[in-house]
Amino acid sequence: MGGRPMFLDRKSLWPQLRRWEEQAADRDGPFRLRFGTFFVADADAARAVLVDSASNYLPQSGFYRLGPKPLPQAVRSEASRELLRALARHDLASSFDLGSALDEVSDGRGRLRHQRWGVEMVRRYFAPVIAHQRHTEINALVDAYVTSSVVADDIVGHVLRRSHRTVPAVRAGLAEQLGRLSAREGGAQDLVDLVLGLPGELSPGDRAQLLQRLVLSTVGFTGVTLEWVVMLGIRHGYDTPVVRQEQVHRLVREALRLYPTAWRLIRVAAADHEVAGARVHEGEHILIGTHAIHRSAAVWNRPLDFRPSRWEQPTDDQRRSYLPFGKGDGMCPANGFAVKALEHLGHLILRGHRGHVRLHTRKPHVRTLLAPPAGWTRLTPAATPEP
């Protein structure tokens, strides 16, 4: 198998995910899926793969990489530090206009289309960090990438065949623009500065690819989770002017537990070794089923129930089994700031609106990301309580 497992060629993987969860419940340790990949659904085995025995696997990064090859560890660490510095330069919470964003991402009838609106809103939320005060050409290319790749490919799937012609053109356009720029002194103001300032013999095309991956990290995973947070919040009565920040905090954590946007983590063995008693050979793939770990009845009481209250006093086993962003060197760089953005936006939306959700199916849509079912959400402004 290459960089992308063959099973992702299917339109939606939700039935497979549920079947793997059931198989994991009946197995003691890792097991092989029918296409040969090892499936890990235990938190301790997952930690062994991602952290304790990470040297047994090829270096991997979902975002700081060129093709299948990750950037050197020192470069990835510096990039993560620069990302945090760039975020610290902008007061996103106070500068974001929710009303304008909702008008822009809703249709003419005031509806928010699932598998799209969250990514479009988070793109606007993080706009100052993505391409701060850049000319319209770069921002238009970023918007085209979000529409033609993040939405059309990573969320919806290979439905819009045009996306495969658009994405290379977007990368070529970004490479052309980046080739004309140089990093600003004084540290990165945005993701454009970040990729321009990375050391090494990187071509403009390399830097364009890295920018695309960072946009996916920043808006793709966060945007899909925002849709889950708002949809679940509405269905469970959180759309009220008196909803508190700590309630939304637990709501976000439970949404990421029950429907982890990054539903699997994949590693490739660099040498023969064992994982939880199972023999793994060099070149074989390990698939860590985040969704299965998050839904294990051995760890979570009534695991398929949506219960944010479980996060009031989580157990040590539950903390160890909670992997929405992975662990170790390959951990998603959006980890900390994505959760803060979700809590802020979730609280703003649910506190200020009453919602109505309409679903075309009850099954989540699973591709690269685990997205809500097709349908839409309508928000109606609610009166804000007196301070």
Side-chain angles (χ1 to χ4, degrees):
M1 298 197 308
R4 166 171 287 197
M6 293 178 63
F7 59 78
L8 283 186
D9 290 338
R10 301 181 66 94
K11 183 178 179 181
S12 177
L13 291 169
W14 182 245
Q16 282 76 17
L17 264 64
R18 295 293 290 125
R19 183 164 63 249
W20 297 342
E21 290 170 19
E22 293 169 358
Q23 288 179 284
D26 295 332
R27 305 291 185 95
D28 183 17
F31 59 93
R32 290 186 186 276
L33 301 175
R34 61 181 176 80
F35 43 82
T37 294
F38 266 107
F39 188 83
V40 171
D42 172 78
D44 291 333
R47 180 179 176 84
V49 172
L50 299 173
V51 182
D52 299 336
S53 301
S55 60
N56 286 324
Y57 301 89
L58 296 179
Q60 192 265 342
S61 172
F63 304 99
Y64 296 126
R65 62 184 172 90
L66 296 173
K69 185 177 180 180
L71 296 177
Q73 178 58 46
V75 178
R76 283 184 278 151
S77 297
E78 178 60 24
S80 294
R81 287 192 291 269
E82 280 299 306
L83 177 59
L84 295 177
R85 293 188 191 110
L87 284 159
R89 295 176 186 271
H90 303 280
D91 187 357
L92 300 177
S94 62
S95 63
F96 182 69
D97 186 338
L98 176 64
S100 295
L102 283 172
D103 288 341
E104 292 175 0
V105 304
S106 61
D107 64 14
R109 300 165 66 182
R111 300 180 303 185
L112 302 171
R113 179 183 167 190
H114 296 172
Q115 302 173 15
R116 188 181 192 97
W117 76 263
V119 169
E120 293 178 343
M121 176 168 286
V122 172
R123 159 70 176 109
R124 288 162 175 78
Y125 185 81
F126 283 117
V129 180
I130 294 172
H132 181 56
Q133 296 182 347
R134 300 288 177 176
H135 54 71
T136 55
E137 181 78 19
I138 286 182
N139 278 289
L141 287 165
V142 171
D143 287 336
Y145 172 68
V146 170
T147 300
S148 62
S149 181
V150 178
V151 172
D153 191 0
D154 295 304
I155 298 174
V156 177
H158 297 304
V159 177
L160 303 178
R161 303 302 302 181
R162 183 172 56 86
S163 68
H164 297 286
R165 297 192 297 272
T166 303
V167 173
V170 168
R171 182 171 298 177
L174 286 172
E176 180 182 354
Q177 297 300 320
L178 294 176
R180 299 172 181 173
L181 300 173
S182 57
R184 287 178 285 207
E185 295 184 3
Q189 295 282 340
D190 56 24
L191 297 186
V192 175
D193 282 333
L194 191 158
V195 299
L196 287 172
L198 290 177
E201 297 298 322
L202 299 175
S203 69
D206 293 337
R207 297 180 194 275
Q209 182 182 160
L210 291 169
L211 178 59
Q212 288 176 302
R213 294 191 188 283
L214 284 168
V215 170
L216 172 61
S217 172
T218 304
V219 309
F221 290 82
T222 314
V224 169
T225 305
L226 179 63
E227 292 189 11
W228 279 117
V229 168
V230 172
M231 187 183 82
L232 292 168
I234 290 170
R235 300 187 77 180
H236 292 271
Y238 286 74
D239 53 333
T240 168
V242 297
V243 66
R244 302 187 306 276
Q245 287 276 8
E246 59 267 28
Q247 291 177 294
V248 177
H249 170 75
R250 293 192 290 269
L251 168 62
V252 169
R253 289 183 69 86
E254 182 68 351
L256 281 167
R257 181 197 69 83
L258 194 55
Y259 301 107
T261 308
W263 58 269
R264 86 281 187 258
L265 307 167
I266 295 177
R267 296 294 186 271
V268 180
D272 294 354
H273 64 285
E274 288 190 355
V275 176
R279 190 66 178 168
V280 179
H281 298 287
E282 179 182 355
E284 289 190 309
H285 286 65
I286 300 286
L287 191 156
I288 298 171
T290 311
H291 62 97
I293 295 173
H294 283 191
R295 290 161 166 251
S296 170
V299 177
W300 312 93
N301 182 32
R302 296 167 60 185
L304 300 186
D305 289 356
F306 181 76
R307 298 176 61 196
S309 61
R310 73 174 80 241
W311 293 105
E312 293 174 7
Q313 291 184 314
T315 67
D316 290 341
D317 280 349
Q318 290 170 346
R319 291 190 183 94
R320 189 168 59 251
S321 299
Y322 188 61
L323 306 169
F325 298 96
K327 283 187 181 297
D329 290 340
M331 193 170 186
C332 176
N335 180 15
F337 69 82
V339 172
K340 291 180 180 178
L342 288 166
E343 292 178 358
H344 177 237
L345 288 172
H347 188 246
L348 277 182
I349 293 171
L350 294 170
R351 181 176 185 268
H353 301 83
R354 293 290 293 177
H356 174 72
V357 176
R358 179 71 177 270
L359 301 179
H360 301 321
T361 176
R362 298 186 66 86
K363 295 180 180 180
H365 186 77
V366 183
R367 290 285 303 160
T368 304
L369 309 180
L370 197 166
W376 50 261
T377 292
R378 178 179 280 121
L379 299 174
T380 304
T384 303
E386 295 294 327

